[in-house]
Structures are given as C-alpha cells and as structure tokens.
Amino acid sequence: MNTDITSSNPVLVAAAGSRRSGSTWQFNALRYLFIRAGIPTLSAMHNGGWKKKVGAVKPPVAIVKIHGMDPDLRDRADLVFTARRDLRDMFASMVRRVLVSHPDDVATARSRISMYLREFGSWERLTDHETVFETMIEDKVREIRDIQEVIGVNFPQVLTADPIDVHEDVERLKLILRHKVDPHDQIWADHITDGRCGSYGETLTDETIEAIETEFGEWLEAHGYNVPGRTGVHG
C-alpha cells in the first residue's frame, strides 16, 4: 500500500459501491474528506479513462468510482470502499430512474440483480469499509466518521477534516441544477429518486418482489434484510 501522499505515485482509492446503493454519496464523502483535509484530490469515473487521467495529472490522491471489476484498479488500489443496499430497494431505484427495460418482467429482475451481485461480490471481498445504505441514511455524519477512521489509519491527515463539514458539502450537491452528469461529483439530473428504506413495494409488482426474495433470499438474509419466512435485521 502506498501511504505517502507526497510521493510521485498517487494514492489510489476505489469507490466500488453497488449500483443505486449510496455509491455516489460514498464517493463524494471520500472526495470531501480528503479535500477538507487539504489534500489535492482527483476524481475519475472508471469508464472515463481513469488511468490516462491519473497518469497525466499525478495528483496526491485519486478516487475512482467503479461498479464492475477492473483488474488494474484492483491490483493498484490502496483503499477499497463498497456500498450495498436491500436488493429490492436497489432494483426499485433502477426502475424509477428508468434504467431498466421491461421492469415488470421477472426474468429481467433476476438477470439484472445477478449481474449487480457479480459486480459487487468481486469488490466486497476486498473492501476496507462497506457502507450499508440503511444505516447511512439513519446517520450520514456517523457514516462519514466511520469512513474517516478507516482512511485515518494510514493517512492521519484526513482526521483533521470535520465530518459535519463534509456532510454539508455532500448535501449541497443536491441543490445544483444539472443537465448532464458532472465529471467531478458524478451526479446527474434526477439522480436521487426515493431514499426511503423498504419503499420498493410502491414501485415493484408483488410478482417481482416474490421473485427477488425467492432467487436472492439467501443473500438478503445473510446481509441482514428481512424476507418473509426468514429472519433479518433491516426492514
């Protein structure tokens, strides 16, 4: 691990949260923790040519937002952060954003969620910290503090950032009028749809919900989510 932010090799942070699971929130919390600590930070999207961008700028810290696996980023990342969410709420969020064709098709739900889990699982095994969407929504400042403590083990300068200031920085991003995705914060128009936990029943059909619970019930239960006939932690 590169722990020297003054070296010519940038500290590389992978923000590898699952889709529609607070990954963009986490990405920006990471950005502002470094920025508030006075550390120049480059942000990049995986599909935006991150290697070329990082190589050209050579910033002290580079944070790359990614969903799928990139072997180069996996091998070079000094820190990995992931985020997850109830799969039913995650898929419902995709439907609300019109990111899924034929949302009422059970086969579509199964195939898309299977793909998301393959992406997420490849990073989850490597994570230094996992943001759980449901607990993050309850107390965002606490989650920022938890992330800060993980970074601070090897980069104590980050501990000088005030988590409340970072929270306010991230919240202000919601107020910006947007017409296209911002290359720095990776937020686009109508990015946030409905952050309520357990609201998937207002978007998905009963058939789709049942199919998700049947196909992915073991994963949901293992990650603490309530499923009819099973026990869990989150609602």
Side-chain angles (χ1 to χ4, degrees):
M1 173 185 286
N2 176 18
T3 59
D4 182 7
I5 59 174
T6 64
S7 74
S8 57
N9 295 318
V11 171
L12 202 55
V13 180
S18 184
R19 298 169 191 266
R20 309 303 297 171
S21 299
S23 59
T24 304
W25 178 90
Q26 184 193 67
F27 170 72
N28 283 298
L30 287 164
R31 288 178 58 230
Y32 280 109
L33 277 167
F34 282 103
I35 292 169
R36 281 282 180 179
I39 302 171
T41 302
L42 172 73
S43 58
M45 187 69 177
H46 167 253
N47 60 8
W50 69 270
K51 285 181 280 190
K52 183 177 180 179
K53 191 174 180 182
V54 171
V57 178
K58 289 186 170 55
V61 174
I63 305 174
V64 181
K65 188 174 186 293
I66 187 171
H67 295 301
M69 174 52 68
D70 179 325
D72 285 341
L73 183 59
R74 175 197 62 200
D75 295 342
R76 293 174 56 186
D78 300 295
L79 288 168
V80 174
F81 291 85
T82 55
R84 64 170 168 85
R85 184 182 190 180
D86 186 321
L87 299 177
R88 295 160 294 190
D89 277 328
M90 180 187 74
F91 188 69
S93 180
M94 298 290 291
V95 171
R96 287 191 295 270
R97 278 287 294 123
V98 198
L99 299 174
V100 178
S101 300
H102 311 295
D104 294 333
D105 178 22
V106 169
T108 296
R110 290 194 184 107
S111 64
R112 292 299 290 269
I113 293 175
S114 293
M115 182 187 75
Y116 304 151
L117 288 183
R118 284 194 298 273
E119 291 177 342
F120 175 67
S122 63
W123 286 107
E124 188 180 30
R125 293 187 291 271
L126 306 172
T127 191
D128 293 291
H129 175 80
E130 181 174 82
T131 292
V132 178
F133 183 90
E134 292 77 14
T135 55
M136 177 270 285
I137 287 294
E138 289 178 0
D139 192 337
K140 293 180 180 178
V141 174
R142 180 183 63 192
E143 177 61 23
I144 290 169
R145 211 171 263 123
D146 290 345
I147 293 171
Q148 182 182 39
E149 289 176 359
V150 172
I151 301 172
V153 170
N154 292 302
F155 306 98
Q157 187 175 341
V158 171
L159 297 175
T160 63
D162 186 336
I164 295 176
D165 289 339
V166 172
H167 168 63
E168 292 174 351
D169 289 335
V170 177
E171 289 298 301
R172 274 194 292 270
L173 296 176
K174 298 178 183 178
L175 305 177
I176 301 173
L177 180 64
R178 304 168 185 276
H179 301 289
K180 60 181 181 180
V181 65
D182 186 289
H184 300 291
D185 59 38
Q186 296 298 321
I187 297 176
W188 57 83
D190 301 322
H191 191 116
I192 300 170
T193 60
D194 184 347
R196 291 176 301 145
C197 302
S199 64
Y200 54 84
E202 299 173 18
T203 301
L204 304 180
T205 64
D206 291 343
E207 184 182 14
T208 300
I209 294 170
E210 183 179 357
I212 293 172
E213 292 171 346
T214 299
E215 184 78 13
F216 307 104
E218 184 176 347
W219 186 97
L220 288 163
E221 183 182 27
H223 287 80
Y225 297 105
N226 290 327
V227 179
R230 297 173 180 263
T231 59
V233 177
H234 301 294

